[in-house]
Amino acid sequence: MKLARFFHKGRVHQGVYRDGLLLDEAGEAHDPEAVAWLLPFTPGKVLGVALNYADHAEELNLARPEEPALFWKPNNTLLPHKGTVLYPRGATFVHYEVELAVVVGRPMKRVKEKDALDYVLGYTIANDLVARDFVKDTFRPPIRAKGRDTFLPLGPFLVVEEVEDPQNLWLRAYVNGELRQEGHTSRMLYSVAELLAFISEFMTLEPYDVLLTGTPKGVSRVRPGDVMRLEVEGLGALENPIEEEA
């Protein structure tokens, strides 16, 4: 089931996406192009994992992490499907990162790897944008690079009870219709279950917390005027235009 939230004619609706239409609480159908999309849910904590694909680490000339390299993604970065990404003034190298995002369904504390997926509510698509101008090797996480307003488009749906295996999904990123990035979740260094077990060992994960699971090789520059379209197999497509910050 693909759950969505959207705004239409002065009202916020929660509904489902089916056969190309958004169905609201009353079963009324809406054209997806005629509504204002909202985040499909209200996220709690948002955690990211850096360098979770070997080929991405290699393209950045960085060593593979010996354990999951975690960072925070602050909630001011959140942006819904079709929302406008603001390109920072003074930046010269901003890039997208297509990622599988995992949404926690119930509290997790010291959960074993073999049980971890039982705690997952669903999945969505994330675009973990980075202003690489502000990434420095002397510290992590690069909050100035990743923590900017609008730097985490998320959506368009919260997909529940449809993903059989999160380690068997294709990811793709397009810019202005051109395929720029492609990867497969089977190539993660640390699987979804491993990551959830690792984090829950020292941190309680709560309902609607979000885990960004990393991006594969293929990041490249985007600029004001570009439109990014990110796809994760079975989860739809997350699309956002870019405008220069005022």
Side-chain angles (χ1 to χ4, degrees), residues 108-119 192-201:
M108 298 184 68
K109 183 66 175 179
R110 298 193 181 95
V111 172
K112 301 297 184 184
E113 179 185 336
K114 65 181 179 63
D115 300 320
L117 295 184
D118 294 338
Y119 290 75
V192 171
E194 288 175 302
L195 291 168
L196 291 172
F198 176 81
I199 296 167
S200 73
E201 179 61 31

Side-chain angles (χ1 to χ4, degrees), residues 120-168:
V120 172
L121 173 62
Y123 302 88
T124 190
I125 305 170
N127 186 354
D128 178 21
L129 284 150
V130 185
R132 194 147 293 278
D133 308 68
F134 306 116
V135 175
K136 307 296 182 183
D137 293 336
T138 54
F139 72 97
R140 278 194 180 274
I143 295 297
R144 191 180 178 199
K146 285 179 172 279
R148 294 175 174 269
D149 293 351
T150 74
F151 263 37
L152 184 58
L154 196 72
F157 313 114
L158 171 58
V159 181
V160 299
E161 299 177 352
E162 290 189 11
V163 176
E164 294 183 2
D165 181 2
Q167 304 310 139
N168 188 29

Side-chain angles (χ1 to χ4, degrees), residues 174-216:
Y174 298 83
V175 178
N176 303 327
E178 176 192 1
L179 179 63
R180 296 274 190 93
Q181 185 180 26
E182 186 172 44
H184 197 268
T185 57
S186 63
R187 300 168 192 160
M188 288 182 188
L189 295 176
Y190 299 98
S191 70
V192 171
E194 288 175 302
L195 291 168
L196 291 172
F198 176 81
I199 296 167
S200 73
E201 179 61 31
F202 62 87
M203 178 191 302
T204 300
L205 293 173
E206 299 164 310
Y208 296 102
D209 283 352
V210 179
L211 173 63
L212 313 179
T213 57
T215 197

